[in-house]
Amino acid sequence: MTFFDDDRPAKKLAHEIGSDLSMLSVGDLDARIDLLREEIARLETDKQKKQAGRMAADNFFKK
């Protein structure tokens, strides 16, 4: 028996790759699609920053 579990905020929606989708509603699927699109955008932004940093370093050391 735990006394503190009721005071904790609810977990944010998460998606596990390959998880069973059969019990999800259309609304749940839409929410997961939105979540994954936001994560893809975040990953692409970070990738672009890293590529720019890599290009800057390559250009600096080519001199």
Side-chain angles (χ1 to χ4, degrees), residues 3-57:
F3 295 101
F4 301 106
D5 288 345
D6 294 336
D7 295 336
R8 293 183 184 172
K11 276 189 160 184
K12 289 180 82 174
L13 175 66
H15 179 76
E16 184 177 330
I17 303 298
S19 63
D20 181 21
L21 306 175
S22 63
M23 298 300 290
L24 298 176
S25 68
V26 172
D28 291 340
L29 290 170
D30 285 338
R32 289 191 184 203
I33 290 168
D34 291 341
L35 176 75
L36 291 170
R37 284 185 177 143
E38 289 172 8
E39 182 64 5
I40 289 168
R42 187 178 75 90
L43 291 166
E44 288 177 340
T45 298
D46 196 59
K47 177 183 170 185
Q48 290 172 354
K49 288 178 187 176
K50 290 181 181 197
Q51 286 175 328
R54 176 68 186 256
M55 286 176 46

